[in-house]
Amino acid sequence: MSSALRSRALQAAGSDDHAGVFDEIARAVADLIEANVTAGAVRADVEARTVLRALSGLIIMKSDGDRRAESVKLVDLLWQGMQTRTSR
């Protein structure tokens, strides 16, 4: 997943167009979601922009306290919500 996101982000990195960069990352996430939907691991109604908005919480977290543990909890919560009932 990280290599796909990194690839898309690097393609858009030379641009000052932040919306364009977001769109590139959203397309990469959409590709990952589509592959997981096809594999039966993720619900078909999951949208890339929704996932990115949920992940944005990781970016704005305060650095004090146990940020790593909170990050793991947030990602786990997001992943559990995205999964199909049969893939849990």
Side-chain angles (χ1 to χ4, degrees):
M1 178 171 157
S2 64
S3 62
L5 289 173
R6 187 176 303 115
S7 174
R8 293 283 187 143
L10 287 174
Q11 290 173 0
S15 173
D16 287 334
D17 178 18
H18 297 290
V21 171
F22 181 84
D23 289 342
E24 285 292 321
I25 294 171
R27 278 193 284 277
V29 171
D31 290 346
L32 293 168
I33 291 170
E34 183 179 335
N36 279 279
V37 168
T38 300
V42 171
R43 297 179 357 214
D45 65 336
V46 174
E47 296 179 3
R49 291 180 183 274
T50 304
V51 172
L52 288 171
R53 286 185 189 103
L55 289 174
S56 69
L58 297 174
I59 296 168
I60 61 172
M61 286 177 58
K62 292 184 178 179
S63 59
D64 59 344
D66 191 356
R67 184 177 180 169
R68 179 170 172 73
E70 282 297 311
S71 298
V72 169
K73 287 178 187 178
L74 284 170
V75 170
D76 184 57
L77 178 65
L78 177 63
W79 180 245
Q80 292 296 322
M82 290 171 46
Q83 290 180 317
T84 61
R85 293 190 193 280
T86 58
S87 67
R88 293 183 189 168

